[in-house]
């Protein structure tokens, strides 16, 4: 790691020549600078104001598009001695070139999450659909051209305990598809990883899950949000020794994607010496302190008021610790990984029930083409509040396996990747066909309408393999009875009426069938 005086000199010189800092590469379980092969440790800070301050969760400040904020804050980040920031959400319609250039000149890399508050894989109702795919690829497109983008997180604490492990296949599908997208687009090989919480029941299983299987599916790096060291603890008593032993055979870089327990304040960050010391550097590649901005959760290093920044005691303690570390280093050429493959996938037990078969890659063209082939479709202008009622009824009389997704069994309907409008049109068309195309069967109190198909796409001609993710097994079919009535009443009771559809229709449907 550069000394503070060297950093200051480099930055003043770099501002004149504006050379791009070298991209970071991966070999085995370590990061390396691409230009000279020297080892790289993540010395980072989470850098984004709370995205939930506003009652509208669609509203957040993109820190990489806030030029004034970057100009204000980078000198303070730089003075800490960091080399990486983590940002949790960006607005892909905005210009990031000014902040990325300023960060580049400061020698600071960026790890960006691919989601945003209103577009992420929901642990309680997981889906991997066209809308999410387009969001994630748009972040890749927006940032891929900057050499100081260290990598992307495809998820953050999506599975956070043993009750929602079925969400992990959807995140792993996102990892697979973003790695594939980066390759297909001819972008440089930007790593894609996952950031997990530190849950004792699932800690090892989820780490192994994201590092098992084919290279196309496995994460390139793995982060864990670690808050075990509180106050004046030690390597042994904090749990760091146990965690280091547990990850000692991990085959990709692993680091703390967040750390900095605040049960004792001010935080003196004595864990820094352990994290970058000889007990941990063979296994861990550093960490990211949570967080830069002081907010109601009391994790901040500074307070910000307009253009003014005031450092807190935590900032001073962290700066002192970071400037005193000197982690061991090995060159890329001299390093031989003990293993270059993945690890064994976790077995299913009471704490882990995630399928190794992953959801199919979302294909917008397929969804649009199939939607255009229907004769009975969702009527224009139908209020989304009515969707739950429609899904509830239709999935009570039809087989809804083609629009459902199950991360435990590994069965994914071909249309589980499509949006709720397209899924409803599929079901309405199926019902219409089963009622011998009776006009009264395509009404649903004005929620459905008859149209002339504009596409010849055939649903049945699609490969069954796409309906079971990475598995070759066929999807299960429910045995619901078919309705014999051509007129439909939308009076729905019981589970169907209480089913919350929102943007996460898949889980609702699984419950309904």
């Amino acid at each position: 790691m550069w000394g503070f005086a060297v950093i200051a000199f480099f930055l003043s010189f770099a501002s004149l020549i504006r050379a791009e800092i070298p991209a970071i590469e991966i070999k085995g379980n370590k990061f390396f600078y691409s230009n000279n092969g020297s080892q790289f440790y993540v010395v980072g800070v989470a850098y984004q104001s709370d995205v939930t301050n506003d009652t509208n969760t669609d509203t957040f400040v993109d820190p990489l598009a806030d030029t004034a904020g970057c100009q204000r804050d980078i000198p303070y980040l730089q003075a800490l001695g960091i080399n990486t920031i983590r940002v949790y959400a960006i607005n892909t319609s905005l210009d990031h070139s000014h902040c990325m250039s300023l960060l580049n000149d400061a020698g600071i890399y960026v790890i960006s999450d691919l989601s945003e508050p209103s577009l992420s894989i929901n642990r309680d109702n997981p889906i991997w659909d066209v809308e999410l795919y387009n969001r994630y690829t748009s972040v890749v497109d927006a940032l891929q051209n900057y050499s100081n983008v260290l990598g992307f997180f495809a998820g953050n604490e999506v599975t956070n305990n043993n009750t929602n492990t079925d969400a992990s296949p959807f995140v792993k599908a996102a990892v697979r598809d973003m790695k594939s997208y980066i390759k297909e687009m001819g972008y440089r090989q930007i790593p894609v990883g996952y950031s997990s919480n530190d849950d004792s029941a699932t800690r090892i299983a989820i780490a192994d899950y994201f590092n098992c299987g084919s290279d196309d599916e496995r994460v390139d790096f793995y982060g864990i949000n670690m808050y075990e060291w509180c106050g004046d603890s030690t390597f042994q008593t904090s749990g760091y020794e146990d965690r280091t032993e547990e990850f000692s055979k991990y085959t990709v870089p692993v680091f703390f994607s967040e750390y900095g327990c605040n049960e004792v304040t001010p935080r003196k960050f004595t864990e820094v010496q352990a994290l970058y010391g000889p007990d941990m550097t063979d296994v861990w590649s550093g960490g990211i302190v949570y967080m830069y901005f002081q907010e109601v959760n009391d994790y901040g290093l500074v307070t910000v008021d307009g253009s003014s920044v005031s450092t807190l005691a935590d900032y001073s303690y962290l700066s002192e610790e970071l400037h005193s570390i000197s982690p061991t280093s090995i060159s890329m050429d001299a390093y031989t990984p003990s293993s270059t493959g993945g690890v064994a996938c976790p077995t299913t037990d009471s704490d882990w029930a995630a399928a190794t078969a992953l959801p199919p890659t979302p294909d917008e063209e397929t969804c649009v083409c199939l939607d255009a082939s229907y004769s009975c479709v969702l009527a224009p202008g139908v209020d989304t509040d009515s969707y739950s009622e429609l899904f509830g009824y239709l999935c009570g009389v039809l087989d809804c396996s083609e629009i459902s997704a199950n991360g435990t069994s590994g069965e994914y309907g071909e249309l589980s990747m499509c949006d709720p409008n397209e899924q409803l049109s599929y079901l309405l068309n199926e019902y219409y066909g089963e009622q011998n195309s009776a006009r009264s069967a395509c009404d649903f109190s004005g929620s459905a309408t008859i149209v002339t198909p504009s596409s010849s796409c055939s649903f049945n001609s699609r490969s069954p393999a796409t309906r079971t993710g990475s598995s070759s097994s066929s999807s299960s079919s429910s045995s619901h009875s078919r309705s014999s009535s051509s007129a439909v009443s939308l009076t729905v009771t019981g589970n169907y009426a209480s089913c919350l559809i929102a943007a996460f229709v898949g889980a609702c449907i699984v419950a309904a069938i």
Side-chain angles (χ1 to χ4, degrees), residues 48-65:
Q48 186 152 25
S49 58
D50 189 353
V51 297
T52 61
N53 280 339
D54 197 291
T55 54
N56 177 9
T57 57
D58 291 338
T59 302
F60 61 91
V61 176
D62 179 349
L64 300 184

Side-chain angles (χ1 to χ4, degrees), residues 393 431-432 434-445 482-489:
Y393 178 82
Y431 182 84
Y432 178 63
E434 291 207 356
Q435 303 306 317
N436 299 315
S437 302
R439 179 168 291 275
S440 60
C442 186
D443 183 65
F444 285 83
S445 302
R482 309 293 180 173
S483 170
S484 60
S485 171
S486 60
V488 177
S489 168

Side-chain angles (χ1 to χ4, degrees), residues 220-421:
D220 297 314
F221 59 82
Y222 189 81
I224 182 168
N225 297 337
M226 177 70 64
Y227 292 91
E228 294 186 1
W229 188 306
C230 299
D232 291 324
S233 190
T234 68
F235 176 64
Q236 290 77 23
T237 60
S238 65
Y240 277 26
E241 182 178 38
D242 294 335
R243 303 294 82 77
T244 300
E245 174 60 28
E246 290 166 351
F247 282 89
S248 61
K249 305 299 182 183
Y250 215 62
T251 61
V252 298
V254 58
F255 58 95
F256 293 175
S257 41
E258 290 177 3
Y259 75 96
C261 172
N262 69 350
E263 290 182 8
V264 179
T265 57
R267 296 181 291 175
K268 295 185 178 180
F269 294 104
T270 53
E271 66 264 46
V272 166
Q273 298 306 316
L275 180 57
Y276 296 95
D279 288 329
M280 298 184 68
T281 51
D282 189 49
V283 174
W284 302 93
S285 292
I288 298 171
V289 170
Y290 189 84
M291 61 174 295
Y292 180 75
F293 296 97
Q294 173 70 333
E295 294 176 336
V296 292
N297 58 15
D298 200 30
Y299 277 96
L301 301 175
V302 306
T303 58
V304 174
D305 183 10
S307 61
S308 175
V309 176
S310 299
T311 61
L312 301 173
D314 286 14
Y315 179 97
S316 299
Y317 282 116
L318 178 61
S319 179
E320 181 180 354
E321 292 294 336
L322 291 180
H323 282 104
S324 65
I325 61 175
S326 182
T328 58
S329 180
I330 187 172
S331 70
M332 183 185 291
D333 291 340
Y335 169 58
T336 302
S338 58
S339 174
T340 57
V343 299
C345 290
T347 57
T348 299
D349 57 27
S350 60
D351 288 323
W352 190 258
T356 55
L358 306 180
T361 301
D363 181 358
E364 186 170 16
E365 183 178 349
T366 294
C367 293
V368 171
C369 189
L370 287 172
D371 189 57
S373 71
Y374 306 143
S375 298
C376 176
V377 299
L378 186 70
V382 174
D383 195 318
T384 55
D385 290 341
S386 303
Y387 284 15
S388 178
E389 219 174 8
L390 288 166
F391 275 114
Y393 178 82
L394 291 166
C395 286
V397 297
L398 296 173
D399 175 5
C400 281
S401 60
E402 290 298 353
I403 63 169
S404 66
N406 190 317
T408 299
S409 68
E411 295 175 318
Y412 310 98
E414 182 176 353
L415 301 183
S416 64
M417 65 180 175
C418 301
D419 68 36
N421 295 4

Side-chain angles (χ1 to χ4, degrees), residues 8-19:
F9 171 78
F10 173 80
L11 290 171
S12 63
F13 182 66
S15 64
L16 297 176
I17 62 174
R18 306 195 67 81

Side-chain angles (χ1 to χ4, degrees), residues 115 120-124 126 136 154-161 164-171 194-197 206 210:
S115 62
S120 62
I121 298 171
N122 184 291
R123 66 173 65 97
D124 298 319
Y136 285 28
N156 178 68
E157 299 190 3
V158 180
T159 289
N160 65 352
N161 59 51
N164 49 43
T165 62
D166 62 310
S168 284
F170 297 86
V171 184
Y194 177 70
S195 173
S196 175
N197 71 321
I206 193 170
F210 279 96

